[in-house]
Amino acid sequence: MILLPLTLVVIELLIRSEGARHDGPRIHCRSSYADMLHDKDRNVKYYQGIRAAVSRVKNRGQKAVVLDIGTGTGLLSMMAVTAGADFCYAIEVFKPMADAAVKIVKKNGFSDKIKVINKHSTEVTVGPDGDIPCRANILVTELFDTELIGEGALPSYEHAHRHLVQENCEAVPHRATVYAQLVESRRMWSWNKLFPVRVQTSLGEQIIIPPSELERCPGAPSVYDIQLNQVSPTDFTVLSEVLPMFSVDFSKQVSSSAACYSRQFEPLASGQAQVVLSWWDIEMDPEGKIKCTMAPFWAHSDPKELQWRDHWMQCVYFLPQEEPVVRGTAHCLVAHHDDYCVWYSLQKTSPEENGRVHQMRPVCDCQAHLLWNRPRFGEINDQDRTDRYAQALRTVLTPDTVCLCVSDGSLLSVLAHHLGAQQVFTVESSAASHKLMKKIFKANHLEDRINIIEKRPELLTAADFEGKKVSLLLGEPFFTTSLLPWHNLYFWYVRTAVDQHLGPGAVVMPQAASLHAVVVEFRDLWRIRSPCGDCEGFDVHIMDDMIKCALDFRESKEAEPHPLWEYPCRSLSEPQRLLTFDFRQPVPQKPLHAEGSMELRRPGRSHGTVLWMEYHLTPDSTVSTGLVEPAEDKGDCCWNPHCKQAVYFLSPTLDPRVPLGSPQAVSYAVEFHPNTGDITMEFKLTDATD
C-alpha cells in the first residue's frame, strides 16, 4: 500500500490545531497587528476621541480612569495617559500579546500609569482586592471585525457596563452604525448558488442542473468579507440607496440579545435582489464629529481620503433566496443579529406590520456550502473554465473509456459521462462530498450512470472498479483542505496510489503541472508585514522585533495564501516556471530542485514573489491558478479570482524607510520533497543576474 504524505493527508487536522496551539510569535506574524498600527486614519481618530473623552471627564472635576479592553500593543492606553488620564487598566486575554504590551508600556515610560491585565474582560474583578479597585469612567475598546460584532464586541460591552464601568461613562468609540445596500450581481450570486452548467456534446447541449435542495438552501451562515473596492461597479446593479440599518451606543448598557431592524425603501431600479453589501462606521465622540468609516469608494464622502486597511474590510451577505423587486414599490430590508453574527432578509412589509420575523440564522442544509467555499462556487460556475475542461476531455475520451475522477465535489465526472465515457467512477472520501454528489447525480438522473466510491484512494481495490482497468484518470485537481497552490499536488500522490488500477496506455489529465513565480510591487498589501517603528509618537519597535524574530525562525522562508484579485500589484519581472511535475509518472523518490534568478525588468519596490500552479490538461490546454493574462509593463496583474495565490514577502523591501539601492534580480532556490509533499523555498534580492 502506498501511504500518502503527511503534509497533504492531515493538513485539515493541522488547520484545526493551529488555532489551539499557543504559538504566540507565529500568531503575531499572521495577525493584523501590523496592519492596524499602519492604519493612520484609525489611529488618529482614536487619539482625537480619547483626548476629547479625557477632557470631558476632567472638565467635570473627576479623575479619568480608563478601561481599555483588548489593548493589543497598549497603544490606546498610552494615548489615554498622554491625553491626561490618571490611570489606565489595559485588558488583554492573549498572553504573548499581553507580555508584549507590558514591555511596550515600559519602553515608553508609562508603567506607573498603565496596568496590563492578562485576562478576558469577563473575568476581571473590581474591588479592593480585585484586578481594578473601582469602576472606570472611560471605556476604550477596539473589539471590532469586518462584521463589527464578530469578535464578541456585544457580550464584552454588555459585561463591561454591568460590572466594570460607571453608569453613563464616556466611551471611545461612542457609537457604531451599520449600513447596507441591496444589489443585483450575477458575479457575487455565483459565490453562493450553483448555476446550471452547459455542456456541448455530440448529441447536442446537455445541462447539469442543481438539485432542488441547493436551490432552496439559504446558504452558509458566515459573512463573506472582501475588499469591496476591488469589485468593479460593472459587476453589480444598485437596487437601493445606502441604508443605515442599526446603531449601537457604546456609552450605555449594550445588549447581546438577538434583535432585528427594518428599513423601508423604494428600489432605484427593477431587478433581482440577491446580495446585501454592508459596512460600518464608528463615531469617536457624542457629537459625531470624529468619524472612521469603512465605506467603499462609491459611498465614501471623500474617495480621495479612502484609507486602505485589511483588518476591517466590507461585508457581502447573500439573501436566502433571490427575489424580484420593482422600481418604486416599497420593500423592507431587515437586518438581524445575534451576539456574534449579522444576516439579512427582504420583506414586502415591515416586521411590525406582518408580525413575524425569521430570527434564526440561515444554516446550510444542502451540504454544498459546507464543502465549497465562496470562491469554489465561483469556480464551478465559471462556464469558460468548464468549456476549457470539456474541450480537453473531447481530445482524450473514446467510447470505451473507463474514467476515474479524483477531486473533492467536482463536476468533472458528469462532464466525462456526457462527453461519451463508457463508465465513470468518482472518489469522494468525505461523507459531505459523497452526500452532495449523490444529490447532484440524482437531480440529473445519473445515479445509475456514475459510481461513487466513498474510500480513501490508497484503499481502492480492483473490486471497486468491477474488475476493469482505468483508462482515464481525471482531476481538476481540487481538494478542500488545500491552503497553498501546491497542496493540490495531492492528486499526484493519488495517481501514484492507484497506479496498479491504471490500464496500459492510460491517460492522466492533467498530464502535468508546473510551479510559476513573478516578482511584484504591491500597492498596499505590503503593509500587513511592514515594521511600524513609531505609531502616533509611541515606540512600538518591540512589536516589530517580536514579529521579525518569529519570521527569522521559520516563516521568512514560507509563503502565505492571499486572493490577489483583491490586492492590486504590478509585475517587476517576467513570469518564470520554476518546477514541473509529470503526472504521467508516479511521484519520484528523490526531491525536485531548481535554482536561478528572475531579472527585475521594471523599476519599483520588490515587495514579494507570487507563486501559483498551472495545470497542463493536454499539450494544447493549460489552466492557470495565478496569472490569467500576460504581465504588462504598465497596469496591474490580472489574477485568477477563484484561487488564492502564494506570496513570499521579501522582508528588506517592506520597510519604506530603508533605502534599497538598485537590486537587479531576485534569486531563488525551491525544492519539492516527495516524502511530505511540501515545497521549501527561498527568494533573495541580488545585485546581479545569473
Side-chain angles (χ1 to χ4, degrees), residues 519-530:
V519 182
V520 303
E521 177 181 46
F522 287 108
R523 187 186 303 173
D524 296 296
L525 186 63
W526 60 272
R527 300 175 195 275
I528 69 171
R529 297 290 171 258
S530 176

Side-chain angles (χ1 to χ4, degrees), residues 77 113 326 348 394 419 429 519 540 545 552 561 639 671 677:
S77 291
K113 291 289 187 76
V326 178
K348 292 185 178 179
R394 291 187 190 97
L419 292 172
S429 54
V519 182
V540 293
D545 293 342
D552 287 345
W639 300 102
E671 187 164 305

Side-chain angles (χ1 to χ4, degrees), residues 411-441:
L411 299 184
L412 284 187
S413 57
V414 185
L415 290 188
H417 168 77
H418 283 319
L419 292 172
Q422 181 189 73
Q423 193 163 8
V424 180
F425 300 89
T426 183
V427 173
E428 301 291 347
S429 54
S430 79
S433 61
H434 183 270
K435 189 174 181 179
L436 172 62
M437 297 312 295
K438 281 187 68 174
K439 291 178 181 178
I440 293 174
F441 296 161

Side-chain angles (χ1 to χ4, degrees), residues 113-132:
K113 291 289 187 76
I114 299 174
K115 177 184 179 182
V116 178
I117 301 170
N118 180 210
K119 284 186 176 182
H120 194 282
S121 64
T122 57
E123 299 173 345
V124 172
T125 57
V126 180
D129 299 320
D131 298 306
I132 60 178

Side-chain angles (χ1 to χ4, degrees), residues 139-202:
L139 176 58
V140 176
T141 64
E142 208 281 54
L143 300 171
F144 314 118
D145 66 349
T146 294
E147 199 173 18
L148 184 69
I149 66 172
E151 291 184 359
L154 295 183
S156 295
Y157 272 110
E158 185 175 44
H159 177 271
H161 277 286
R162 286 179 178 172
H163 302 285
L164 304 178
V165 297
Q166 298 176 13
E167 188 176 358
N168 297 319
C169 70
E170 299 288 343
V172 182
H174 180 83
R175 181 187 300 108
T177 302
V178 173
Y179 299 88
Q181 189 168 35
L182 188 66
V183 304
E184 175 181 358
S185 173
R186 179 175 175 83
R187 179 187 180 189
M188 287 186 265
W189 195 238
S190 77
W191 300 337
N192 182 58
K193 295 288 185 179
L194 179 61
F195 294 170
V197 178
R198 302 179 183 278
V199 188
Q200 300 298 328
T201 75
S202 58

